[in-house]
Amino acid sequence: MDSRRSLLVLALLFISFLVYQQWQLDKNPPVQQQTTEQTTAASSDVPASSSSSAEVVADSQTKGQIITLENDVFRLKVDTLGGDVISSELLKYDVELGSKEPFVLLKDTNDHVYIAQSGLIGKNGIDTKAGRAQYQVTGDNFKLAEGQNELSVPLTFEKDGVTYRKIFVLKRDSYDVGVNFEIVNQSGSAIEVEPYGQLKHTLVESSGNVAMPTYTGGAYSSSETNYKKYSFSDMKDKNLSIDTKAGWVAVLQHYFVSAWIPNQDVNNQLYSITDSKNNVASIGYRGPVVSIPAGATETITSSLWTGPKLQNKMAEVANHLDLTVDYGWAWFIAKPLFWLLTFIQSIVSNWGVAIICVTLVVKAILYPLTKAQYTSMAKMRMLQPKMQEMRERFGDDRQRMSQEMMKLYKEEKVNPLGGCLPLILQMPIFIALYWTFMEAVELRHAPFFGWIQDLSAQDPYYILPILMGGSMFLLQKMSPTPVADPMQQKVMNFMPLIFMFFFLWFPAGLVLYWLVSNLITIVQQQMIYRGLEKKGLHTRKK
């Protein structure tokens, strides 16, 4: 396979990848309004308890006191009516490049709802049709102090001789919030409650473009399925209902995630509720019935992750939670590449330099295959006179021509597909790096130098894509094998321009990788051909 045909194969793989990306984006169309019959209920503020499938708590018209909980990485706002987390400001992540405003993940505004709700339902639950629990709290601003590693904030509600404490636990340098219920039963008789936690989100569609599609929607993990997306469209088609031990539910968006992790030692039900009337959906878990005898105290535990997709830290919180960093089918390549990228960055302290170093490592590993590719191409070129003679001798007898060609390949020890393997390997590596740049929050707003201040975004001045297109053009012109077909020649002449056009919208870091890869390939090609010239296996184009 000559290098120009190799470029055609690479172009086909590349375009197929883009088509697949668009197909993934189209799988989540704009959410349409449902009919009344399709709506679960007039309100989706809390789920029904296991004892009553029709029980749904009405939305409250008033809110309680808003309190603030803060550690060194985020600032949470909690509504004492229900104890919902209605805002999470990520203090170490800016909303836009160069902005001093923190990125807000959870929020509750007129045009966008994304909140984390939890409570107690069931026979003696405190979230009922009459309304949700109105907790009492001793202050309105709680902050982790210097030298303090943990902050515990209790919200208290009393009813019928039972004291319910909803306790938020914040730790230093952690986006994992403990949300625990301590129930002291002094009512004189046994009570039963069911815990739940859910993420309520405005119905939106996934966004992005062909080059950089992004997913916004639900996801879950169960004992049967390590990780699975469950989009808002999926929720509208069929509400989620899975009984599982362990597991979690989440809402994903580009670089960030919120997830409820219930007690992993009991059986839970994962569910979703769609409320098209109010244009919201909820994905959550419902725990088992907990019986508390008279005079006893019971603690029910859960945790809420609300923050960036930090793979190592999420893996410590719950099994498979790190899979929300979704590398797709190329995960087995992306994970070691990301590890290598992170390791090198820890040494060079620049993500752009780390990308260049990773490119050097990848090209070094693939060098034996690259050498075999160009050696095969040189041998194929040497056989061109004999193959032309065969064409003239056998004319339209394609079967005889094929037989003689295979015989010639065998005699000359030439593999006609010898140049394909590097291309087959190069595309999965490219896709793995693509998803690394799309999913790894560590690369968000990561600068290189000069005009490249965000390697996860497109080059603002398109300089890298233009240089990349120029490197492809140079590589093409240095190809040792001419193309006889005029139509194929025209297609090849436009190939660098086509690639440059697509790369205009790709993350700058990915374009940097491709550019450096092309430059290394040019150097490798010259080294290989000079070695072949000494052996008489290659002659330059005249």
Side-chain angles (χ1 to χ4, degrees):
M1 179 183 288
D2 63 66
S3 61
R4 295 180 183 238
R5 289 182 181 177
S6 298
L7 279 176
L8 285 174
V9 173
L10 188 60
L12 178 62
L13 291 171
F14 178 74
I15 293 171
S16 298
F17 168 66
L18 292 178
V19 170
Y20 171 76
Q21 290 300 110
Q22 186 61 46
W23 174 73
Q24 287 288 86
L25 189 61
D26 291 342
K27 284 177 66 180
N28 296 284
V31 180
Q32 304 296 325
Q33 292 294 317
Q34 286 183 312
T35 62
T36 303
E37 290 75 19
Q38 291 174 303
T39 305
T40 303
S43 166
S44 59
D45 235 24
V46 297
S49 70
S50 59
S51 61
S52 175
S53 60
E55 181 184 356
V56 177
V57 176
D59 286 317
S60 300
Q61 298 301 314
T62 60
K63 293 184 178 294
Q65 177 186 355
I66 306 301
I67 64 173
T68 301
L69 316 179
E70 183 177 341
N71 64 5
D72 57 324
V73 296
F74 59 26
R75 182 184 300 117
L76 306 181
K77 293 186 184 299
V78 175
D79 187 346
T80 58
L81 180 62
D84 298 336
V85 182
I86 60 172
S87 174
S88 59
E89 300 175 56
L90 310 185
L91 305 179
K92 294 190 175 182
Y93 295 86
D94 48 10
V95 62
E96 293 178 350
L97 184 63
S99 170
K100 295 183 179 180
E101 295 296 321
F103 182 86
V104 180
L105 183 56
L106 297 178
K107 62 182 68 176
D108 187 9
T109 62
N110 292 332
D111 57 352
H112 187 82
V113 174
Y114 181 16
I115 60 177
Q117 301 178 303
S118 59
L120 299 172
I121 54 177
K123 182 179 178 181
N124 302 105
I126 52 179
D127 292 327
T128 68
K129 289 182 179 181
R132 302 186 64 195
Q134 177 63 268
Y135 292 96
Q136 302 299 314
V137 65
T138 58
D140 57 11
N141 197 326
F142 302 86
K143 185 175 182 179
L144 188 71
E146 290 291 334
Q148 186 181 7
N149 291 321
E150 185 174 291
L151 173 67
S152 181
V153 180
L155 281 65
T156 304
F157 178 76
E158 295 184 0
K159 179 183 177 181
D160 300 331
V162 182
T163 300
Y164 303 85
R165 294 189 182 93
K166 187 172 187 177
I167 306 170
F168 290 88
V169 181
L170 281 65
K171 298 179 181 178
R172 182 168 297 280
D173 192 31
S174 177
Y175 294 92
D176 178 33
V177 185
V179 184
N180 307 321
F181 286 95
E182 183 185 80
I183 306 164
V184 182
N185 182 11
Q186 297 175 331
S187 66
S189 60
I191 61 172
E192 293 181 352
V193 296
E194 299 172 46
Y196 78 92
Q198 67 182 18
L199 297 160
K200 186 175 181 179
H201 197 290
T202 298
L203 288 170
V204 296
E205 60 177 305
S206 296
S207 58
N209 53 47
V210 176
M212 298 178 66
T214 58
Y215 174 78
T216 300
Y220 69 88
S221 177
S222 70
S223 55
E224 300 294 327
T225 304
N226 291 345
Y227 167 76
K228 186 176 179 61
K229 290 179 180 177
Y230 205 76
S231 69
F232 294 129
S233 295
D234 292 333
M235 296 179 201
K236 290 176 71 67
D237 291 338
K238 183 180 179 181
N239 279 326
L240 180 67
S241 181
I242 295 176
D243 292 320
T244 179
K245 188 173 183 179
W248 45 261
V249 292
V251 170
L252 316 180
Q253 66 185 63
H254 199 197
Y255 295 128
F256 302 99
V257 59
S258 293
W260 274 113
I261 303 98
N263 185 338
Q264 301 291 281
D265 297 323
V266 299
N267 292 319
N268 299 289
Q269 183 187 44
L270 311 183
Y271 68 87
S272 67
I273 301 173
T274 305
D275 180 4
S276 292
K277 180 180 178 181
N278 294 305
N279 197 40
V280 294
S282 299
I283 184 169
Y285 78 90
R286 182 190 295 109
V289 174
V290 178
S291 181
I292 307 165
T297 299
E298 185 72 31
T299 300
I300 302 173
T301 62
S302 67
S303 64
L304 169 69
W305 176 282
T306 176
K309 296 178 181 177
L310 300 175
Q311 300 171 57
N312 293 337
K313 291 189 176 182
M314 288 192 296
E316 296 173 357
V317 172
N319 289 335
H320 314 303
L321 187 58
D322 59 318
L323 296 182
T324 55
V325 181
D326 191 353
Y327 294 130
W329 63 266
W331 62 268
F332 61 96
I333 302 175
K335 279 184 174 291
L337 278 177
F338 176 72
W339 177 87
L340 178 62
L341 188 66
T342 304
F343 173 75
I344 295 175
Q345 194 277 337
S346 68
I347 298 173
V348 300
S349 301
N350 185 291
W351 287 102
V353 176
I355 291 168
I356 294 174
C357 293
V358 166
T359 311
L360 289 168
V361 172
V362 170
K363 296 299 287 186
I365 293 173
L366 294 180
Y367 179 73
L369 295 175
T370 302
K371 185 176 181 179
Q373 174 189 14
Y374 284 109
T375 301
S376 176
M377 288 162 53
K379 289 182 177 180
M380 288 290 292
R381 186 174 188 273
M382 290 176 59
L383 297 180
Q384 289 302 313
K386 293 183 179 181
M387 294 175 66
Q388 182 62 33
E389 182 183 340
M390 285 183 187
R391 293 189 185 97
E392 295 173 356
R393 191 189 336 157
F394 299 115
D396 295 331
D397 191 347
R398 295 183 179 276
Q399 184 176 358
R400 181 68 186 279
M401 178 70 181
S402 297
Q403 292 173 349
E404 292 298 322
M405 285 177 63
M406 294 305 296
K407 183 179 179 182
L408 178 64
Y409 292 152
K410 186 175 182 180
E411 290 174 353
E412 299 292 338
K413 298 181 180 180
V414 174
N415 180 5
L417 300 179
C420 292
L421 187 57
L423 289 174
I424 294 173
L425 290 177
Q426 186 174 351
M427 202 60 194
I429 292 173
F430 169 81
I431 294 172
L433 280 170
Y434 168 87
W435 282 114
T436 298
F437 280 93
M438 289 295 295
E439 289 290 306
V441 70
E442 290 85 351
L443 290 163
R444 179 181 184 264
H445 296 175
F448 181 29
F449 74 91
W451 75 99
I452 303 296
Q453 293 298 308
D454 186 357
L455 287 163
S456 68
Q458 66 189 60
D459 185 333
Y461 303 113
Y462 308 115
I463 295 174
L464 286 181
I466 292 172
L467 291 175
M468 189 278 301
S471 69
M472 283 194 68
F473 179 79
L474 180 60
L475 188 59
Q476 176 180 306
K477 289 302 181 183
M478 293 175 65
S479 173
T481 306
V483 179
D485 184 0
M487 181 58 69
Q488 190 182 41
Q489 181 70 57
K490 290 181 180 179
V491 173
M492 292 307 304
N493 289 338
F494 279 102
M495 196 59 62
L497 188 61
I498 293 171
F499 267 70
M500 184 184 72
F501 175 78
F502 279 121
F503 273 72
L504 293 176
W505 290 276
F506 271 55
L510 194 63
V511 184
L512 177 64
Y513 164 79
W514 198 277
L515 169 61
V516 174
S517 179
N518 283 350
L519 296 176
I520 296 172
T521 300
I522 290 172
V523 174
Q524 288 180 337
Q525 176 180 293
Q526 293 306 299
M527 291 172 56
I528 292 168
Y529 281 137
R530 286 172 183 172
L532 294 176
E533 283 179 348
K534 295 178 181 179
K535 297 179 182 180
L537 292 178
H538 172 66
T539 57
R540 293 183 179 276
K541 292 189 295 181
K542 296 181 179 178

